[in-house]
Amino acid sequence: MKMTRTVFVTGGAGYIGSHCIVELLKADYDVVVIDNFTNSVGVCDGESAALKRVEEITGKKIHFYKVDLLDKDALYGVFQKHQIDCVIHFAAMKAVDESIEYPLLYYKNNLIGMLNLLEVMTDHKCYQLVFSSSCTVYGEPEECPVTENHATGRNITNVYGKTKYFVEEMLQDISYSDEKWNIIALRYFNPVGAHPSGLIGEDPTKPFSNIMPFISQVAIGNKPVLTIFGGDYDTVDGTGVRDYIHVMDLARGHVAALSLLFKKHQKIKVYNLGTGRGVSVLQLVKAFEKVTNMTVPYQIAERREGDISIMYANAELAEKELGWTAVHSLEDMCADFWRWQKMNPQGYRTKDIKLNNSH
Ligand code: NAD
Ligand code: UD1
């Protein structure tokens, strides 16, 4: 009987996946990864730039396959090659604007991708799954901090968010139909920051619209001014409030979820992964300025369509059942994000990595 457990990670070349794999390797899991590089950087031999850095950080090897989840035969082939004990499913498209413009692309990638994975898992009698969900499933919350019991699926303003909700429903249904399934859905709040080494961070190949990269683009002078969407929300200073969480805290949350899956059969459980602290856009800008000693000029503009006013987590259930809490401060998030940016002004293209894809 093999001693080391093998985790299959979809989308592991991306932002959260790569950080999570650092923690999985530290916890002595064997890691098998697939990614198709739709939103991450590949290098000339079909390897992932981020995962090469993860190997550098951890001194451990990763089994990587350039495979698209929509290619079920290829997916099946990887399951045939490795004895998979558990799956962490990160792979999805996540650009909100793009999802509204190309709904079929998002439904196909995020829903068919999930279906293929569940079928291949079933074929291989692998029933342990951690799914990357999002606080977006709560829509505009009735109250904050929001608990896992809050209604989901109402007033979700974009197709990306709906795919997360639909997958959660799909997972509820399969866990009801067959009690072998043991699933944890993690609802992330707003992940930011980077590994403290500065070697890995967020480097999407698609256009992004999240706040943190914008703040730093303004700080380094690539953009003249930060546009803050809305100054008239009913919040501490009129700007939108979110629960920013350090990506390394999030990564530890996955290791905690795996431990629970291997210890206890719960069919399906959902946990919020947030800090429990609401932070306004202006508070985030001030924290960034303080930590980096840079100035971030900003202008207040109209609210962004589809934005909600306040969203932050009640993360007590994760503390109680996963034994997990976020430990990093807002300052850590800004400092680590900034270190990654400074060390890698062109992201993974910065160092002597020979790229073979155009993004
Ligand atoms: P990311 O885009 O950096 O990583 C996702 C990875 O999946 C990418 O490397 C992409 O190339 C890959 N991928 C996408 N479709 C694929 C397919 N069909 N086959 C194989 N690989 C595919 O995104 P992330 O920020 O790391 O997010 C990871 C997960 O967490 C996603 O499911 C996302 O929706 C969810 N999530 C992210 C956030 C966030 O703010 N980053 C918040 C809540 C939930
Ligand atoms: C977005 C997505 C959500 C996803 C989440 C985490 C939308 C509608 N929702 O949420 O589905 O789960 O990211 O990845 O996009 N802001 C500015 N100026 C900017 C950019 C953002 O003021 O240039 C503000 C926003 O109005 C918001 C806050 O910053 O108040 C955070 O925005 P963002 O990083 O885009 O995340 P969310 O809107 O929470």
Side-chain angles (χ1 to χ4, degrees), residues 143-186:
E143 53 178 19
C144 272
V146 65
T147 69
E148 290 83 353
N149 292 329
H150 188 285
T152 57
R154 291 206 298 239
N155 308 319
I156 300 178
T157 53
N158 61 80
V159 174
Y160 159 71
K162 286 183 189 168
T163 68
K164 291 291 166 196
Y165 169 66
F166 292 153
V167 167
E168 281 201 11
E169 292 292 295
M170 205 190 276
L171 297 178
Q172 291 286 351
D173 291 340
I174 61 163
S175 73
Y176 184 76
S177 75
D178 183 344
E179 62 177 31
K180 287 196 283 305
W181 284 102
N182 194 16
I183 299 171
I184 290 183
L186 298 174

Side-chain angles (χ1 to χ4, degrees), residues 216-263:
S216 87
Q217 288 298 304
V218 174
I220 55 177
N222 284 351
K223 292 186 194 297
V225 64
L226 172 73
T227 301
I228 295 182
F229 299 128
D232 58 351
Y233 286 112
D234 186 13
T235 62
V236 60
D237 53 26
T239 65
V241 165
R242 298 289 183 276
D243 187 337
Y244 298 98
I245 174 166
H246 197 295
V247 66
M248 292 312 297
D249 278 333
L250 209 56
R252 281 190 308 101
H254 291 75
V255 177
L258 279 192
S259 302
L260 185 63
L261 275 189
F262 288 124
K263 235 186 327 212

Side-chain angles (χ1 to χ4, degrees), residues 77-214:
V78 181
F79 269 75
Q80 288 289 92
K81 256 186 142 153
H82 298 269
Q83 197 189 321
I84 308 291
D85 296 299
C86 179
V87 174
I88 306 184
H89 180 39
F90 292 107
M93 290 180 180
K94 63 162 187 178
V96 170
D97 290 349
E98 186 184 58
S99 78
I100 296 168
E101 200 173 342
Y102 303 105
L104 294 183
L105 178 71
Y106 272 67
Y107 285 131
K108 185 171 183 182
N109 194 68
N110 294 1
L111 301 186
I112 307 288
M114 178 83 259
L115 275 177
N116 283 346
L117 179 62
L118 292 171
E119 286 180 353
V120 171
M121 287 176 71
T122 307
D123 288 344
H124 291 85
K125 301 188 173 20
C126 173
Y127 298 102
Q128 319 240 57
L129 171 69
V130 177
F131 170 63
S132 296
S133 190
S134 166
C135 62
T136 192
V137 299
Y138 296 122
E140 175 96 48
E142 270 154 30
E143 53 178 19
C144 272
V146 65
T147 69
E148 290 83 353
N149 292 329
H150 188 285
T152 57
R154 291 206 298 239
N155 308 319
I156 300 178
T157 53
N158 61 80
V159 174
Y160 159 71
K162 286 183 189 168
T163 68
K164 291 291 166 196
Y165 169 66
F166 292 153
V167 167
E168 281 201 11
E169 292 292 295
M170 205 190 276
L171 297 178
Q172 291 286 351
D173 291 340
I174 61 163
S175 73
Y176 184 76
S177 75
D178 183 344
E179 62 177 31
K180 287 196 283 305
W181 284 102
N182 194 16
I183 299 171
I184 290 183
L186 298 174
R187 292 179 182 152
Y188 313 153
F189 281 66
N190 287 56
V192 291
H195 189 269
S197 64
L199 283 175
I200 56 169
E202 186 166 17
D203 185 16
T205 57
K206 292 189 182 226
F208 54 81
S209 59
N210 296 108
I211 183 83
M212 195 63 135
F214 268 102

Side-chain angles (χ1 to χ4, degrees), residues 30-49:
D30 200 14
V31 178
V32 178
V33 182
I34 63 150
D35 203 295
N36 66 354
F37 299 138
T38 45
N39 200 31
S40 46
V41 179
V43 283
C44 43
D45 48 2
E47 286 293 312
S48 147

